[in-house]
Amino acid sequence: MAHVKLHIPGPVEVSEQTFKAFCSPMIGHRGQGYKDLVAKIQPQLQTLLGTKQLVYLSTSSAWGVMEGALRNLTQKKVLNCMKGAFSDKWFDVAKRCGKEAEALQVPWGSPIRAEAIDARLATGQFDSLTLIHNETSTGTMSPVAEIAALKAKYPDVMFIVDAVSSMTALPLSFDALGIDVLLAGTQKAFALPPGLTVFTCSPAALAKAATAKDRGYYFDFVEFEKNAKENMTPSTPSISHTYALASKLDEFFAEGLTARYARHTQTNQLIRDWAAKHGFTLFPEAGFESITLNCVNNGAKPGGRIVDAAKLQKLVKEQGFLIDGGYGKIKGTTFRISNMGDETPASMAPLIAALDGAMAKL
Ligand SMILES: *Cc1c(COP(=O)(O)O)cnc(C)c1O
């Protein structure tokens, strides 16, 4: 069967070169070969995340570490900043972990602002908060620097930040932000196959985790730190992912991070232009649109054009491209198109032609 190229917001298209690295022969994860592999990529990961802390590799999708962060760092109560399907789910996961949790909900498509968080943290009830930088379900980015600046006022609150669909697409400096956990699954902007999560923790987070009695084993941050010092992981990692990540990081630095960030902005603009050309508006509040995907308004909010999203998706798929028909409660009334990973203006051109072709039939 012919491959349908992925322009859904994760997983995204994986290159031949990455798959080749992924298929490297197995080695032992306690042997020198694996340690050398991690030792090689550790400084690259630290540069990418803007940190002097060790960067950990978790063989799990992002939710493993998202849940793990709560188990390691929430002892009193967590403030879940909610603005879409993934961030809303984190509140549900906190309760499933038996944690005290409070929802700070804004309408889908709106960003979370520091002022609202400040008002809740001022109550003194919270020892942790969860924030999704780029809410993939709505294509909305919250101003992470503005929010992270609150850390100075609330040093004892653990700031847990999900950058699953933004890390590698724009600058995110963990140490400069001063937050406590930064994580990303690799099937989004890293353009790796699903199954690996990259994350890092502040010294304060590690100290706090060490006091959590029921933090478990598989996602124990203290174990991650201890093993990372030896260029290892607590349990057997996906060695294939480690090879693929090493290959990908070499690509990132060959291109240059600044060029990579600019490329994402550029490819994202192509879809914004396409949407405007056909009379659509975007779903996110103006000024907070994602640069790794576009969530196109298709009736969820007043204004702009409305088409049969399922039919649009079907027509584009017939041309060899998979776009997303909307997520959760905005399925159909929005649709989403990803530009994250390896996409360039040249690689986006056939997709845009297919989208234009489909619009002519709607
Ligand atoms: C995709 C995504 C997740 C969930 O990742 P899984 O790989 O399914 O665990 C979490 N947060 C954001 C922002 C995402 O885009």
Side-chain angles (χ1 to χ4, degrees):
M1 209 177 84
H3 173 63
V4 177
K5 187 183 173 206
L6 299 184
H7 276 280
I8 54 173
V12 303
E13 202 63 13
V14 175
S15 72
E16 288 288 329
Q17 191 177 331
T18 300
F19 273 128
K20 213 174 141 211
F22 194 87
C23 290
S24 301
M26 270 317 107
I27 53 172
H29 66 295
R30 301 292 179 213
Q32 198 55 45
Y34 187 76
K35 291 185 187 183
D36 289 346
L37 179 62
V38 175
K40 176 184 175 277
I41 66 174
Q42 182 60 248
Q44 293 174 312
L45 287 168
Q46 288 173 313
T47 302
L48 183 68
L49 275 67
T51 186
K52 290 191 170 64
Q53 293 295 109
L54 291 171
V55 178
Y56 315 132
L57 304 178
S58 172
T59 298
S60 66
S61 80
W63 273 116
V65 177
M66 291 164 78
E67 177 172 330
L70 299 168
R71 294 189 184 276
N72 279 267
L73 300 175
T74 301
Q75 291 178 15
K76 209 156 76 178
K77 190 172 180 181
V78 62
L79 181 67
N80 299 112
C81 303
M82 294 154 60
K83 58 170 172 161
F86 291 106
S87 47
D88 291 10
K89 182 82 190 169
W90 220 341
F91 176 58
D92 174 44
V93 171
K95 287 183 292 181
R96 291 190 197 201
C97 291
K99 302 296 182 186
E100 285 284 315
E102 184 178 302
L104 173 58
Q105 180 86 62
V106 300
W108 284 29
S110 295
I112 302 274
R113 301 304 301 263
E115 207 176 21
I117 296 176
D118 193 6
R120 294 313 301 148
L121 293 187
T123 65
Q125 293 176 34
F126 302 96
D127 68 344
S128 47
L129 74 83
T130 64
L131 175 77
I132 290 187
H133 175 220
N134 188 57
E135 173 54 67
T136 319
S137 64
T138 65
T140 309
M141 273 202 294
S142 287
V144 65
E146 169 193 297
I147 294 165
L150 286 173
K151 178 75 190 176
K153 198 167 165 190
Y154 303 102
D156 296 334
V157 178
M158 295 286 120
F159 281 49
I160 305 164
V161 178
D162 161 327
V164 173
S165 57
S166 54
M167 188 185 285
T168 87
L170 49 75
L172 274 174
S173 176
F174 181 72
D175 291 354
L177 287 169
I179 54 177
D180 296 287
V181 178
L182 183 66
L183 69 103
T186 56
Q187 79 275 27
K188 306 277 171 89
F190 277 86
L192 291 172
L196 182 74
T197 294
V198 165
F199 74 110
T200 192
C201 293
S202 68
L206 290 170
K208 179 147 194 209
T211 69
K213 289 188 183 64
D214 54 359
R215 62 187 188 272
Y217 171 69
Y218 195 75
F219 296 109
D220 178 356
F221 289 180
V222 180
E223 283 287 342
F224 272 97
E225 171 69 11
K226 197 176 89 188
N227 278 276
K229 282 182 175 157
E230 310 290 330
N231 294 313
M232 290 192 297
T233 48
S235 52
T236 316
S238 172
I239 293 161
S240 307
H241 274 95
T242 317
Y243 276 120
L245 177 61
S247 163
K248 211 77 221 176
L249 287 164
D250 283 344
E251 283 180 43
F252 292 177
F253 288 99
E255 179 181 14
L257 294 181
T258 309
R260 180 177 178 81
Y261 303 148
R263 177 165 60 72
H264 277 87
T265 303
Q266 195 185 5
T267 51
N268 188 262
Q269 187 63 43
L270 295 174
I271 297 298
R272 293 189 194 188
D273 293 346
W274 171 83
K277 182 176 78 184
H278 290 282
F280 291 109
T281 57
L282 297 181
F283 181 68
E285 195 177 308
F288 300 94
E289 301 90 344
S290 169
I291 62 140
T292 57
L293 72 141
N294 277 288
C295 184
V296 180
N297 180 38
N298 189 42
K301 282 183 174 175
R305 183 144 177 203
I306 300 176
V307 293
D308 180 341
K311 193 163 178 209
L312 172 67
Q313 191 184 28
K314 183 172 168 282
L315 289 168
V316 173
K317 192 173 176 187
E318 285 167 8
Q319 299 303 310
F321 302 96
L322 189 65
I323 62 167
D324 174 87
Y327 195 101
K329 66 183 182 191
I330 51 170
K331 186 178 168 72
T333 59
T334 61
F335 58 89
R336 299 178 303 163
I337 303 171
S338 162
N339 59 285
M340 62 184 99
D342 299 336
E343 300 302 333
T344 63
S347 77
M348 296 285 287
L351 167 72
I352 290 166
L355 285 164
D356 282 340
M359 288 303 292
K361 293 183 190 161
L362 284 170

